Structure formats: C-alpha cells, structure tokens
C-alpha cells in the first residue's frame, strides 16, 4: 500500500495549487512540494507576491509513482498490452487507469469543497485533470473554466520541475503566477466584451481615436503567409 501525501493548507484559502504527484522526499516528510521543485515554486511564488502559507496545496495523484507515471496517465498511445482507457477531452485526450480516475474524482471533490476562487494546475497532468486539455504550453497563463468545478477560475502553468531541463521556463512560470496574484483582486467570471462585426469606415475611425486615449491596448492579428486575414 502506497503512502499518500495529504493536502497542505486551509480549505478556506483563495488559491489552490495542484501538483502532479509527490516525490520521495514529500512522502518521507508527508508534505507536498518540499523537494527541489518545491524550492523553485516557493521562490517564484515569493517573486510574484504570493504566500505559500495562504494557499491550499494538493496533488492530482497523492502517492509517489516513482517514474511510473505512464502506468496512471499518458498522452502518448500505449502498447496493445496496456490496460489504460482513452479519455477524450475538449482539447485533446489521454490514456488513463481506473486508479487515476478515482484520484481525479477525489481531487475534483476536494476543490469543490474548498472556498478557493483560483485554481493553479502545475504541469500537464494537473491541467488535463482539471480542464480536459492537454499540451500545457498552449494553455499556460490562460484563464479557463470547467463545469466540474463551477465558480472557480483555472490558470495553468508549467510544472516547476521542468525548469531543471529548461531554466527559461522560470520566466514563464513567474509570469503566470503574477497573473494569479492580479486575478485575486478581480471579480469572478470572464470579462464582458462587445464585438463589432464588419464595422463601417466611420466606426473604424472612431475606434482608432478611442484607442489613443489609453496608454496600452491589446489586440490579436491572425496571419496567413505573412498576410493579415483577421484582427481583433
């Protein structure tokens, strides 16, 4: 029987951090994120203005899998002898074991029974568990929602252990954690936006003039072979 690492922090915390699975050091001391990856996380949280003691910290899989994560979940198609089942997500899927699904269900319940407003999945496994999206590089820093955990904003980021192979990931994690800090002071729910489809020439001129009133504006341009095809 594997020893589980219990959650750390208060269920009344405003921020939940969700890891992948505890390592050997975490199991020995019975606390999440106290190994090398935890040291990186603590340092980047401090730089972003977040206090670890004010967060509720969980793991997707509460036991040490000891480099056998693919026996619980994998994003690559396993061999024919595998007993894993494919779970389709809204943006990609994964092959998972029944034990993983049991852990995931418990994780969802723990989050729903908390008072947290923001949930931060650390890495691809936690992000898939909470959003049914894979490829963390596409979703990190985004504000996401999932019907299984209503009323909570989800902001994924890269797992701190990834910085051991690519140190520049620290800047991305810090950026994402800073956004978490900023979101703490914003109202719940996505911002309300008005979309103008095919504006007239005069409306376009008016909009440009309005933009000049602000120091910063955000926009999105879609291109195809260096040619602008859409702008938002």
């Amino acid at each position: 029987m594997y020893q589980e690492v219990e959650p750390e922090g208060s269920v009344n915390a405003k921020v939940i951090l969700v890891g992948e699975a505890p390592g050997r050091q975490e199991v020995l001391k019975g606390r999440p994120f106290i190994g090398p990856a935890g040291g990186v996380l603590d340092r980047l949280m401090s730089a972003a203005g977040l206090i670890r003691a004010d967060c509720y910290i969980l793991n997707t899989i509460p036991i040490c899998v000891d480099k056998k994560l693919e026996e619980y979940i994998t994003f690559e198609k396993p061999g024919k002898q595998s007993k894993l089942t494919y779970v389709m997500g809204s943006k990609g899927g994964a092959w998972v074991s029944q034990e993983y699904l049991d852990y995931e269900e418990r994780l969802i319940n723990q989050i729903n029974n908390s008072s947290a407003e923001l949930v931060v999945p650390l890495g691809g496994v936690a992000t898939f568990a909470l959003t049914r999206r894979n490829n963390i590089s596409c979703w990190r820093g985004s504000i996401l929602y999932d019907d299984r955990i209503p009323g909570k904003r989800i902001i994924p980021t890269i797992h701190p252990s990834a910085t051991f192979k690519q140190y520049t990931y620290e800047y991305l994690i810090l950026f994402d954690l800073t956004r978490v800090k900023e979101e703490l002071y914003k109202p719940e729910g996505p911002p309300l936006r008005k979309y103008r489809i095919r504006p007239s020439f005069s409306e376009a001129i008016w909009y440009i003039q309005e933009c000049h009133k602000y120091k910063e504006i955000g926009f999105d341009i879609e291109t195809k072979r260096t040619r602008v095809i859409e702008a938002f």
Side-chain angles (χ1 to χ4, degrees):
M1 184 70 178
Y2 291 103
Q3 181 179 345
E4 294 189 6
V5 174
E6 296 296 325
E8 181 176 271
S10 171
V11 294
N12 296 318
K14 290 186 177 181
V15 177
I16 289 180
L17 302 175
V18 182
E20 183 177 277
R24 293 184 180 182
Q25 293 187 46
E26 284 82 2
V27 171
L28 288 173
K29 296 187 178 181
R31 294 182 58 204
F33 281 106
I34 59 169
V40 174
L41 178 62
D42 289 348
R43 176 163 51 81
L44 295 178
M45 286 182 65
S46 178
L50 294 169
I51 301 173
R52 174 175 172 140
D54 292 341
C55 300
Y56 189 39
I57 306 176
L58 306 166
N59 272 303
T60 308
I61 302 172
I63 61 173
C64 178
V65 297
D66 197 21
K67 299 182 180 181
K68 295 181 180 180
L69 181 63
E70 66 276 2
E71 295 181 4
Y72 294 84
I73 179 173
T74 179
F75 298 107
E76 298 180 1
K77 188 174 181 179
K80 294 182 179 180
Q81 303 300 319
S82 174
K83 297 181 180 180
L84 301 183
T85 301
Y86 185 71
V87 174
M88 174 64 76
S90 59
K91 299 292 182 179
W95 287 264
V96 302
S97 67
Q98 183 57 51
E99 189 174 6
Y100 166 84
L101 291 174
D102 292 340
Y103 286 139
E104 184 183 88
E105 182 179 2
R106 182 165 67 173
L107 173 66
I108 296 294
N109 290 334
Q110 288 173 319
I111 293 174
N112 283 328
N113 290 330
S114 75
S115 303
E117 300 173 6
L118 297 169
V119 184
V120 185
L122 302 168
V125 170
T127 298
F128 181 79
L130 300 181
T131 69
R132 283 295 182 262
R133 292 170 168 87
N134 59 22
N135 196 346
I136 181 64
S137 61
C138 292
W139 302 107
R140 51 146 292 269
S142 301
I143 300 176
L144 306 175
Y145 299 87
D146 192 281
D147 292 339
R148 296 172 299 160
I149 44 176
K152 301 183 189 299
R153 288 163 284 175
I154 306 169
I155 304 180
T157 191
I158 299 167
H159 196 282
S161 63
T163 62
F164 302 144
K165 295 182 179 179
Q166 179 60 268
Y167 76 93
T168 56
Y169 285 159
E170 287 199 8
Y171 300 103
L172 301 180
I173 298 172
L174 177 58
F175 180 89
D176 298 340
L177 293 177
T178 301
R179 184 167 198 184
V180 172
K181 174 70 173 180
E182 294 171 349
E183 285 296 316
L184 279 173
Y185 302 99
K186 293 182 180 180
E188 294 184 15
L192 297 177
R193 293 185 174 93
K194 293 182 179 180
Y195 297 92
R196 178 74 68 179
I197 308 299
R198 295 180 180 179
S200 66
F201 179 78
S202 59
E203 287 175 327
I205 294 299
W206 171 84
Y207 181 76
I208 292 173
Q209 291 173 340
E210 286 294 304
C211 288
H212 281 289
K213 297 179 181 179
Y214 300 91
K215 293 182 179 180
E216 296 181 359
I217 60 172
F219 60 90
D220 183 20
I221 296 177
E222 300 296 330
T223 63
K224 184 177 183 180
R225 296 180 180 177
T226 72
R227 183 170 63 90
V228 176
I229 56 175
E230 291 180 344
F232 302 94

